[in-house]
Amino acid sequence: MSNNDRLDHILPVGTLKIAALEGCREFGKAVDQQLVKSRKENTSYDSNVTSLPGYISDSYLLDCSCPRFGTGEGKGQINDSVRGADLYILVDVCNYSLTYTVCGYENHMSPDNHFQDLKRIISAATGKAKRINVVMPFLYEGRQHKRSKRESLDCSLGLQELVDMGVSNIITFDAHDPRVQNAIPLSGFDSFMPTYQFLKALVDTVPDFFIDNDHLMVISPDEGAMRRAVYFANILGVDMGMFYKRRDYSVIVNGRNPIVAHEFLGDSVEGKDVIVVDDMISSGESILDVAKQLKERKAKRVFVCTTFGLFTDGFRKFDEYYEKGFITKVVTTNLNYRDPELFTKPYYAEADMTRFLAMIIEHLNHDITLSKVESPTSKINELLQSMREKRN
């Protein structure tokens, strides 16, 4: 793990403990393994740090659960000591695969259910843990971050509720709109981007992937993704284009105004590979329409990179567009639950985030700056330099 030299002589806030809720148990184990490996293999740590009780451990995971009664009511249980601990609670609010029984009927866990379980574990630890941090990769209700007409402000209320319960830091990834942190201006809120991991996944899975202005272009599928695309294009030194969604504001379908058309702004994509970057694939309707339009404009290949692959309408349309050549690769992170069927798709590639999250937790546990962790510029430059040397 890089940057560990900065941790050598700094005492941690408290004994590191990780509570991975059931929805992200496997992901939590992978992050835990990264932390265990890092601390055991790093020989530069000061003895005053490594001699602390629990600093070097075979696992930092807590035994915790949220069992339910027959009525569907639940409770949070922590079966290990958290007194004086720097506690990190991992929750995946998008894991719909989990079920529970209500009076004999089977229900799938919704984001609301996962959020309630998160609060139960916080409640079980409050007053005992030295500090409580919530790692919520997909920000709960992050898409309901602003008010249009008479609507609820679910994300802001959720963040305030967590802070009121004693949470010190909230760690998320690629927040739909990071300005929602204005709801809790006096508390820790960090939204990290998987830009380096996207690029690494493409480099590892696409043998003839060239990164220069003659072969590559970055595309924003809408106005909301512009910030991501601008950074990606600037760091790679390539051109950028964007689509904007023309909507019919006289009609509401499934709670939103339907998209009439995607209009393109930018230079020609003819003969170039294009990377389409966004925060999530929900139904995939917008991304697929953008990919089709790019191919119609004679783009060579379309690579889709999104932080969260939700695929709420399944994979049929993606399979169809892959067979027609509209998409070549779909890259998503492992920050949320994905249907096992996705791993069988020839177009899918995973951007592994476990090492990155372990590094974030390590830095927070030592209470030092995250500035270098937040910006992957140096790592991307190293990767680009490595690619140039191999090519030469």
Side-chain angles (χ1 to χ4, degrees):
M1 189 177 297
S2 61
N3 296 327
N4 270 352
D5 56 311
R6 305 168 67 201
L7 310 176
D8 291 351
H9 308 287
I10 301 174
L11 295 178
V13 172
T15 305
L16 176 61
K17 295 290 183 181
I18 300 174
L21 272 63
E22 189 178 357
C24 59
R25 194 81 26 108
E26 292 304 313
F27 181 72
K29 288 179 182 177
V31 173
D32 177 59
Q33 290 169 5
Q34 292 283 355
L35 285 163
V36 170
K37 180 181 178 182
S38 171
R39 290 191 171 184
K40 284 187 174 181
E41 292 182 355
N42 195 308
T43 58
S44 65
Y45 281 132
D46 191 285
S47 60
N48 290 329
V49 176
T50 57
S51 62
L52 292 173
Y55 189 82
I56 304 295
S57 176
D58 292 330
S59 177
Y60 302 98
L61 289 172
L62 288 173
D63 178 11
C64 64
S65 62
C66 291
R68 290 182 180 271
F69 303 100
T71 57
E73 298 168 286
K75 64 178 180 179
Q77 289 184 179
I78 299 177
N79 300 315
D80 295 323
S81 173
V82 294
R83 190 174 295 279
D86 188 23
L87 178 62
Y88 293 80
I89 306 175
L90 275 60
V91 58
D92 176 11
V93 299
C94 293
N95 192 339
Y96 59 87
S97 69
L98 302 180
T99 60
Y100 63 97
T101 303
V102 180
C103 299
Y105 294 94
E106 186 179 64
N107 280 5
H108 283 264
M109 292 278 285
S110 72
D112 291 340
N113 296 135
H114 287 294
F115 190 68
Q116 285 299 120
D117 280 353
L118 167 64
K119 292 192 294 182
R120 290 179 175 116
I121 294 299
I122 293 172
S123 176
T126 299
K128 308 297 185 294
K130 186 173 184 179
R131 187 175 70 175
I132 297 177
N133 313 271
V134 168
V135 180
M136 188 188 300
F138 187 96
L139 188 61
Y140 174 70
E141 291 290 358
R143 299 168 78 179
Q144 187 53 30
H145 62 284
K146 62 182 180 180
R147 175 175 285 155
S148 299
K149 299 182 180 179
R150 188 159 304 193
E151 294 181 343
S152 57
L153 286 169
D154 297 59
C155 189
S156 297
L157 287 173
L159 292 175
Q160 290 176 352
E161 192 169 6
L162 293 180
V163 169
D164 288 344
M165 293 185 72
V167 173
S168 299
N169 296 302
I170 296 170
I171 300 102
T172 190
F173 288 83
D174 203 352
H176 195 66
D177 188 342
R179 289 174 298 182
V180 75
Q181 66 185 288
N182 292 338
I184 49 169
L186 301 180
S187 299
F189 181 98
D190 290 290
S191 177
F192 297 93
M193 302 295 292
T195 313
Y196 171 77
Q197 287 75 15
F198 284 158
L199 188 60
K200 187 73 166 61
L202 288 173
V203 169
D204 291 344
T205 58
V206 183
D208 56 340
F209 184 61
F210 294 96
I211 303 175
D212 58 52
N213 205 38
D214 295 328
H215 297 89
L216 186 66
M217 195 166 173
V218 176
I219 302 295
S220 171
D222 55 35
E223 310 92 297
M226 277 290 291
R227 181 175 54 89
R228 305 175 185 90
V230 167
Y231 175 77
F232 216 158
N234 284 342
I235 194 66
L236 298 181
V238 301
D239 285 338
M240 192 205 82
M242 70 160 287
F243 286 84
Y244 72 90
K245 297 174 181 176
R246 187 151 53 86
R247 295 179 180 271
D248 183 355
Y249 288 98
S250 66
V251 180
I252 296 179
V253 179
N254 294 328
R256 60 181 181 176
N257 303 108
I259 299 169
V260 176
H262 286 92
E263 305 290 353
F264 182 68
L265 300 172
D267 291 336
S268 172
V269 298
E270 184 173 352
K272 293 185 177 182
D273 290 335
V274 293
I275 300 176
V276 182
V277 291
D278 207 356
D279 60 339
M280 71 179 75
I281 293 174
S282 185
S283 66
E285 174 189 345
S286 295
I287 286 286
L288 291 175
D289 186 47
V290 164
K292 182 180 178 181
Q293 289 203 43
L294 287 169
K295 289 298 289 184
E296 289 173 349
R297 287 176 166 80
K298 300 182 180 180
K300 183 181 177 182
R301 294 176 297 187
V302 177
F303 305 118
V304 175
C305 294
T306 67
T307 307
F308 303 104
L310 306 179
F311 299 98
T312 56
D313 286 354
F315 308 109
R316 183 187 61 80
K317 200 74 173 177
F318 283 86
D319 294 343
E320 176 188 334
Y321 274 48
Y322 174 72
E323 291 168 4
K324 290 181 177 179
F326 294 150
I327 56 173
T328 300
K329 190 71 68 176
V330 176
V331 181
T332 75
T333 70
N334 56 345
L335 291 169
N336 66 284
Y337 171 79
R338 291 145 298 153
D339 190 312
E341 183 185 349
L342 179 62
F343 299 101
T344 68
K345 305 300 181 183
Y347 51 81
Y348 180 67
E350 179 184 276
D352 183 18
M353 300 296 289
T354 54
R355 190 168 181 267
F356 186 31
L357 179 55
M359 187 187 303
I360 292 168
I361 291 175
E362 186 76 288
H363 279 64
L364 283 173
N365 181 233
H366 285 261
D367 212 17
I368 65 173
T369 178
L370 286 166
S371 57
K372 287 192 176 181
V373 179
E374 287 177 310
S375 175
T377 302
S378 59
K379 293 183 69 176
I380 291 176
N381 286 332
E382 289 174 10
L383 180 61
L384 295 177
Q385 181 62 32
S386 175
M387 291 179 66
R388 294 188 195 102
E389 291 173 356
K390 287 180 180 179
R391 198 169 298 151
N392 295 331

